[in-house]
Amino acid sequence: MSDPTTSGSQPAAGAASAPGAAGGDTVPVTPADLTVAEKAGLTSGADAWHTKAIDRLGVPAIMVTDGPHGLRKEAGSGPGLGPSVPATCFPPAVALGASFDPVLAERVGEAIGTEAAIEDVAVVLGPGINIKRSPLCGRNFEYFSEDPLLSGLMGAGLVRGIQSRGVGACVKHFAANNQETDRMRVSVDVDARTLREIYLRGFEIAVREGRPWTLMCSYNRIEGVYSAQNRWLLTEVLREEWGFDGLVVSDWGAVADRVASIAAGLDLEMPATGGYTDGQVVRAVAAGDLAEADLDTAAGRVLELVRRAGQRPPAPAQLNVDAHHDLAREVAGRCVVLLQNTDELLPLATDARLAVIGAFAQQPRYQGAGSSRIDPTRLEDALTEIRALGTGEVTYAPGFTLDGAGDVTALRAEAVRVAAGAEVAVLFLGLPPEAESEGFDREHLDLPAEQVALLAEVLAATENVVLVLSHGGVVHVPQAEQVPAIVDASLLGQAGGGATADVLFGRVNPSARLSETVPLRLADTPAFGNFPGENGQVRYGEGQLVGYRWYDARTMPVAFPFGHGLSYTTFSYGQASVVTADDGGWQVRVPVTNTGGRLGREVVQVYVSLSGSAVSRPPRELKGFASVEIPPGQTAEVEVAVPRSALAVWDVRTGSWWVEGGQYLVQVGASSRDLRTSATVELPGDGLQAPLTRESSLAEVLADRHAAPLVAQAVQQLADQVPAAAGLLQDEEMMTLMSSFPVGRLPGYGGLPITEQLVDDLLSAANAARGTPEVG
Ligand code: BGC
């Protein structure tokens, strides 16, 4: 152990080079070059956004800044939500997730990475990929989806893009951080299978496919253990199982016990604690309460991050504001979901006489509040952009104010008058900015009452109504069925105004899909009654039935299903077919034809079911998707890969992934409730890895394809040898009654001629045939 009060070994020649500088032929600094005090210092921030430099060794400080849908490089060094350098505000995850296109996410990531590199930022703190467990989570706008596959693949895309510019990404918040209420303490009670299949799977995908440089642990606890000091989570699952080789940083202020955190696998505590926790670490090492090797590991990972950052290729001298703004507009157009379009009211004719109504048309809501808030380089509003693209008369009336000020009745009357005088009324409604934010959860899904009243009056005054919705979390529109056209513009970033106009006039053919179900009522939602918990605890009582998995299992009607979204063209699906891929998974193939008159993009979704499964399963689960552009009249042969690993369930008995053999139903369609074609496919299973034991039930033994014939053979032999017992042994009703008996309790039971030796021999033979280990 090195002396915490003195310098360690000699400074290494040519230590980690500064970010932005070429890597060069340097001898890397290693933890062995550092004193304990230096290692303790290096593994905690210098301020809110920097690591500590070690000048004597030439180790520079590096900067991390918030994202994830742009760069939030704070002007100051303290924590807080002060002004930041202007950056392109791309569509937040609520919108980007709806594109169902990881390649698009990658392009956004590349642009963010470039902006970070220009600003000498080493790591962008995003993407956030937590599951939208309840629509009430105040921070849902920062997350992609209620589905882990979509969340993980979109997250991986963003990571790849950011890192392609030599800047690190940071996948957050690991794990089970699905609410804002009591977020720094709440303990999540979740069963092991749900944790693995729903709440960890997206992270696993992002880690395996994105290979992020860093990952941020969450504030909350899981089963009583803070993520920041959860060795199972940060070391066993993340590193040993998934092969994560980057650095784990704490969420800001998530560390309750720094010494325990380092031992668990946390590498960097953020933000600075003024040296307070550094002292704890130094004392713990001196007292033998913390293995210096654990501190070395953490310090080594910080040094490695500094080294990686130092190899960043040269960045452009300055930001190309126009090019990135244009990209933001293109991407935003890909994130608009056309929910409803009766009688093809949309797209609008360029010369249509329009009433534009609703304050959001002029004061756009384009991102959420909290640590992800970007100071945009520009900001488009829909009203200006509609006026720029349209040639007809456009009259505007706010109808309401965002802060509720003003004469509501007069504002509404004016708006209704304007709507009645136009060919089409385009109504911009949504959640006001204060309705949702990082830091608190919502209590309802409703639009403000004055907006609901305005919509009702406009619908009564005119037939041609287009509703454009701005919101981060799900919003309930009571009159949705009566509104001819609904455009879900969620939060589209700084160019959302133009993108909305592009969609309204048909310059962009909408192609995005709901990445979250829109329920009819809050009371229908999966976590209702179990959200946000109480007394520091929340129970994930719905288990795996999150999002569409829940509504489908209950065959519940919803306002708009997961995966739903319309286009200005139409698509027809041919017959799906499935071929086995090299990894034992599938290539799902389906011809999709653009049967309309416009170029369009279809999001082909593959859902998989297994009826008669040995474990409980949702009716169907998304296992793959592809976003494909198809010219009018043409057919695309769409291929969607479903890796075998995606078909595995978490086997709680063995603590491992397990692919169940059986006949699977593969359904392919345009939404979770618009399934157009299907195929069945026989999948060979992994076989049960858990050995059969005396504790295995008779039913489990009989269900095993290796054991069942051996049992049948033994029963026949016994019946031949002991004719008196034959009736009992071959009585099906009796066997059904005894199916829950552990086989170890059968010997001698009720005078049956079954011996312990027979049971053990059968188990041995069956385990040998299955390739599972012999048990004593
Ligand atoms: C948020 C993180 C964010 C960090 C730094 C935390 O409160 O949960 O997402 O990166 O602050 O601003």
Side-chain angles (χ1 to χ4, degrees), residues 48-49 65-67 72 80-81 125 139 142-143 172-173 177 180 183 216 219 251-252 371-372 438:
W49 308 113
T65 74
D66 268 316
R72 193 174 74 87
L81 303 176
L125 301 173
R139 208 175 179 183
E142 246 187 277
Y143 303 137
K172 66 187 186 181
H173 311 85
N177 177 190
E180 292 301 283
R183 66 172 169 160
M216 185 189 292
Y219 286 128
D251 199 344
W252 269 227
S371 63
S372 68
E438 176 182 344

Side-chain angles (χ1 to χ4, degrees), residues 452-712:
V452 175
L454 174 65
L455 176 58
E457 290 194 25
V458 169
L459 284 170
T462 176
E463 278 187 357
N464 293 336
V465 178
V466 177
L467 174 59
V468 180
L469 290 169
S470 298
H471 60 96
V474 159
V475 65
H476 173 61
V477 180
Q479 309 98 323
E481 282 185 11
Q482 300 152 42
V483 186
I486 306 180
V487 172
D488 184 358
S490 60
L491 303 174
L492 293 176
Q494 69 180 46
T500 304
D502 289 340
V503 168
L504 291 174
F505 286 115
R507 284 173 39 130
V508 165
N509 188 355
S511 60
R513 304 305 172 93
L514 288 177
S515 58
E516 183 182 9
T517 308
V518 183
L520 284 169
R521 308 179 310 157
L522 177 61
D524 291 347
T525 60
F528 187 74
N530 279 322
F531 184 96
E534 58 202 1
N535 299 324
Q537 199 172 9
V538 57
R539 196 169 67 85
Y540 285 18
E542 69 286 354
Q544 311 153 57
L545 299 182
V546 177
Y548 64 90
R549 291 167 165 82
W550 167 270
Y551 303 103
D552 288 352
R554 281 167 172 64
T555 57
M556 269 173 153
V558 298
F560 297 101
F562 176 83
H564 170 74
L566 304 174
S567 163
Y568 296 150
T569 187
T570 46
F571 298 95
S572 77
Y573 285 61
Q575 176 59 49
S577 59
V578 178
V579 294
T580 302
D582 291 345
D583 73 339
W586 304 325
Q587 277 300 113
V588 179
R589 294 182 181 153
V590 62
V592 178
T593 306
N594 181 341
T595 48
R598 278 171 189 263
L599 177 69
R601 190 175 269 280
E602 176 71 336
V603 176
V604 176
Q605 301 161 46
V606 174
Y607 294 88
V608 172
S609 323
L610 178 64
S611 61
S613 169
V615 293
S616 65
R617 293 175 186 252
R620 67 188 61 84
E621 296 183 279
L622 184 73
K623 294 296 178 189
F625 56 87
S627 169
V628 199
E629 192 172 60
I630 311 175
Q634 291 196 20
T635 299
E637 298 296 332
V638 181
E639 282 207 356
V640 180
V642 178
R644 187 172 166 90
S645 59
L647 298 168
V649 293
W650 185 253
D651 181 24
V652 289
R653 291 166 303 172
T654 55
S656 62
W657 291 104
W658 171 59
V659 176
E660 183 175 7
Q663 195 174 63
Y664 284 72
L665 176 65
V666 179
Q667 292 173 296
V668 184
S671 96
S672 61
R673 292 201 172 173
D674 183 7
L675 301 162
R676 308 278 186 89
T677 173
S678 67
T680 52
V681 52
E682 188 70 37
L683 184 73
D686 285 342
L688 255 191
Q689 285 154 10
L692 294 171
T693 69
R694 290 183 184 185
E695 275 299 296
S696 303
S697 72
L698 183 58
E700 284 165 353
V701 171
L702 290 175
D704 185 85
R705 69 188 166 93
H706 295 287
L710 297 174
V711 173

Side-chain angles (χ1 to χ4, degrees), residues 152-198:
L153 291 178
M154 294 302 292
L158 208 66
V159 168
R160 280 195 298 270
I162 293 172
Q163 296 189 167
S164 71
R165 298 300 186 258
V167 172
C170 182
V171 174
K172 66 187 186 181
H173 311 85
F174 190 58
N177 177 190
N178 310 100
Q179 64 186 59
E180 292 301 283
T181 307
D182 205 13
R183 66 172 169 160
M184 298 196 65
R185 297 180 310 184
V186 72
S187 180
V188 171
D189 286 354
V190 55
D191 68 88
R193 198 178 147 209
T194 300
L195 183 61
R196 287 288 187 157
E197 292 184 24
I198 303 291

Side-chain angles (χ1 to χ4, degrees), residues 202-469:
F203 285 98
E204 180 173 4
I205 293 169
V207 164
R208 287 190 193 274
E209 301 205 6
R211 304 201 63 78
W213 292 9
T214 75
L215 176 139
M216 185 189 292
C217 75
S218 60
Y219 286 128
N220 55 286
R221 294 179 286 166
I222 299 175
E223 304 289 347
V225 183
Y226 280 113
S227 296
Q229 49 198 66
N230 190 332
R231 195 187 138 74
W232 171 79
L233 189 68
L234 301 186
T235 299
E236 292 175 30
V237 172
L238 179 64
R239 294 185 185 280
E240 293 168 11
E241 283 184 34
W242 300 350
F244 176 69
D245 62 0
L247 168 142
V248 178
V249 60
S250 72
D251 199 344
W252 269 227
V255 176
D257 178 341
R258 173 115 180 267
V259 172
S261 287
I262 292 173
L266 180 87
D267 304 309
L268 176 62
E269 172 198 50
M270 287 300 281
T273 61
Y276 174 67
T277 59
D278 296 358
Q280 292 173 343
V281 171
V282 171
R283 286 192 295 278
V285 171
D289 295 335
L290 175 66
E292 189 172 353
D294 287 346
L295 182 60
D296 285 351
T297 302
R301 292 195 188 121
V302 178
L303 290 171
E304 170 62 12
L305 180 65
V306 173
R307 188 195 63 77
R308 273 179 159 175
Q311 293 183 331
R312 193 176 65 227
Q318 62 186 43
L319 168 61
N320 186 337
V321 172
D322 290 342
H324 281 202
H325 182 82
D326 290 349
L327 176 64
R329 183 160 173 162
E330 181 199 332
V331 174
R334 294 280 310 279
C335 299
V336 175
V337 184
L338 179 62
L339 290 176
Q340 207 150 278
N341 193 18
T342 313
D343 296 332
E344 298 186 9
L345 179 56
L346 289 175
L348 302 171
T350 319
D351 61 357
R353 219 159 19 84
L354 300 177
V356 172
I357 293 167
F360 291 106
Q362 217 177 21
Q363 296 163 265
R365 263 208 79 203
Y366 60 101
Q367 63 177 332
S371 63
S372 68
R373 201 192 60 221
I374 312 300
D375 277 343
T377 57
R378 280 191 200 156
L379 184 57
E380 288 178 358
D381 67 82
L383 178 61
T384 307
E385 299 303 317
I386 288 171
R387 285 191 164 135
L389 293 184
T391 55
E393 188 192 344
V394 177
T395 315
Y396 170 68
F400 57 90
T401 54
L402 292 188
D403 60 4
D407 182 343
V408 178
T409 317
L411 285 166
R412 191 183 309 150
E414 164 70 0
V416 173
R417 191 185 61 74
V418 167
E423 280 174 66
V424 180
V426 186
L427 196 52
F428 286 80
L429 304 183
L431 290 180
E434 64 279 5
E436 51 185 340
S437 171
E438 176 182 344
F440 64 86
D441 291 318
R442 299 162 66 196
E443 286 177 3
H444 59 79
L445 307 180
D446 303 336
L447 277 176
E450 66 273 16
Q451 294 189 37
V452 175
L454 174 65
L455 176 58
E457 290 194 25
V458 169
L459 284 170
T462 176
E463 278 187 357
N464 293 336
V465 178
V466 177
L467 174 59
V468 180
L469 290 169

